[in-house]
Amino acid sequence: QVQLVESGGGLVQAGGSLRLSCAAPGLIFSIYAMGWFRQAPGKEREFVAAISSSGRSTSYADAVKGRFTGSRDNAKNTVYLQMNSLKPEDTAVYYCAADRHYPITSSYGMDYWGKGTLVTVSS
């Protein structure tokens, strides 16, 4: 059973930065595209960012484009989400997920998920 493990969430003031990490022990990491999703209270889970298996291609939701950057280190089986210029509306539980296929635009059909890490942005 593959379990992704997110870390790096926390409380930050608006305008601040956080870096989320997602470790994937036990996964043949280099063949999986990775996605970041988030779910705010009372809202559906939404796509945030995705990165191809090689790391050469990335995509972002319009709401985070220019502020968030995805990257990965295949040698460490880890994917990252650098979040800058955070806004209160970025407050959510952030999840990483793995899928064999890229691009990733939806949470449906992802192969593996983490349990999430909470990001809270205060105004």
Side-chain angles (χ1 to χ4, degrees), residues 27-33 52-55 72 74-75 77:
L27 187 69
I28 306 175
F29 189 70
S30 62
I31 67 173
Y32 281 85
S52 64
S53 58
S54 67
R72 65 190 294 160
N74 284 353
N77 275 33

Side-chain angles (χ1 to χ4, degrees), residues 30-71:
S30 62
I31 67 173
Y32 281 85
M34 300 298 293
W36 287 97
F37 301 85
R38 66 186 182 186
Q39 187 166 18
K43 294 188 177 181
E44 292 189 354
R45 191 171 298 187
E46 64 177 1
F47 168 77
V48 175
I51 185 165
S52 64
S53 58
S54 67
R56 286 192 288 267
S57 296
T58 54
S59 60
Y60 302 94
D62 288 344
V64 307
K65 203 170 291 183
R67 300 188 297 122
F68 291 12
T69 303
S71 62

